[in-house]
Amino acid sequence: MNKKELIEKLKEHGAWCTECHDTNGEKDRYVKVAKVRELLEQQDEPQKVKVPAFVAEWFEKHKHRLGYSIWKLVGESHKSYTTNKLDMRHWILQEPNNPIETLIRMKDGYEVEEEPKWVVKSNRLYFTGITQLIARDPITYNFTTDENRAHVFDDKESAEKEASFFDGTIEKVEE
């Protein structure tokens, strides 16, 4: 139940107060505290928005002057548009993000989205890292059959780069 619905329910359950008048000279109503508590418990809690880590970082730096900071960011975005998806100037111009509404709702709390993780595979083996004892030695790629010991990459590009050295493939880690 939202705020408007709550107010309507309170009006429905109110009883007329014969001695009370509001500022317009109309009779006022009263509602039992137990009923108010019951209705308040039915009210919807605002859901926290989920945002990427870079949005949360920007918000934390700018939350004290949020209106001005959003205005400035939009202006900068139009002057120097970027296609970097991890840049606030790009994010704020993407309509599906509901960027301005999202930034304002973050004042009531937010959660940071989990970034996807990646592992590199070669056939049925998982990449665990590289070994090179001294600079003149060749690089050795290390693998294991145990998925839990695989090296986990934070971004897809790094995983793809490593996989390209030995014709490996990348796989998204399911959590």
Side-chain angles (χ1 to χ4, degrees), residues 3-160:
K3 185 177 175 179
K4 233 181 215 180
E5 292 169 333
L6 176 62
I7 291 168
E8 289 303 314
K9 291 276 186 189
L10 288 171
K11 285 180 182 177
E12 282 175 23
H13 291 27
W16 292 106
C17 177
T18 56
E19 297 136 20
C20 306
H21 296 284
D22 67 11
T23 55
N24 297 333
E26 296 175 5
K27 288 185 179 175
D28 207 356
R29 292 177 174 232
Y30 67 91
V31 180
K32 292 181 180 178
V33 172
K35 189 62 178 178
V36 172
R37 185 180 302 122
E38 176 191 324
L39 292 171
L40 282 173
E41 287 172 354
Q42 294 174 23
Q43 188 175 14
D44 297 332
E45 289 291 323
Q47 297 296 312
K48 290 182 179 178
V49 291
K50 281 193 171 190
V51 295
F54 71 93
V55 174
E57 289 172 23
W58 184 93
F59 177 80
E60 289 301 320
K61 288 180 191 171
H62 297 90
K63 66 183 175 185
H64 302 294
R65 294 188 67 198
L66 191 59
Y68 171 76
S69 296
I70 293 171
W71 174 79
K72 188 174 176 185
L73 178 62
V74 170
E76 289 171 358
S77 301
H78 288 290
K79 288 180 190 171
S80 58
Y81 180 75
T82 178
T83 57
N84 178 357
K85 292 182 175 157
L86 299 178
D87 189 317
M88 280 299 290
R89 293 173 300 157
H90 181 271
W91 183 86
I92 196 124
L93 295 177
Q94 305 309 307
E95 191 59 37
N97 295 333
N98 293 318
I100 295 172
E101 178 185 341
T102 299
L103 289 169
I104 292 168
R105 285 184 57 203
M106 286 174 72
K107 286 181 168 183
D108 296 325
Y110 62 90
E111 295 176 8
V112 178
E113 293 174 349
E114 285 288 323
E115 297 292 325
K117 306 285 187 204
W118 306 88
V119 292
V120 176
K121 288 180 73 175
S122 179
N123 294 321
R124 293 187 179 130
L125 300 174
Y126 294 91
F127 174 73
T128 59
I130 58 173
T131 306
Q132 185 178 30
L133 298 176
I134 56 175
R136 292 186 298 239
D137 285 350
I139 293 175
T140 305
Y141 292 94
N142 302 311
F143 297 90
T144 182
T145 55
D146 183 2
E147 181 179 0
N148 296 323
R149 293 186 48 221
H151 177 78
V152 178
F153 292 87
D154 290 332
D155 63 294
K156 189 175 181 179
E157 291 76 28
S158 297
E160 287 172 338

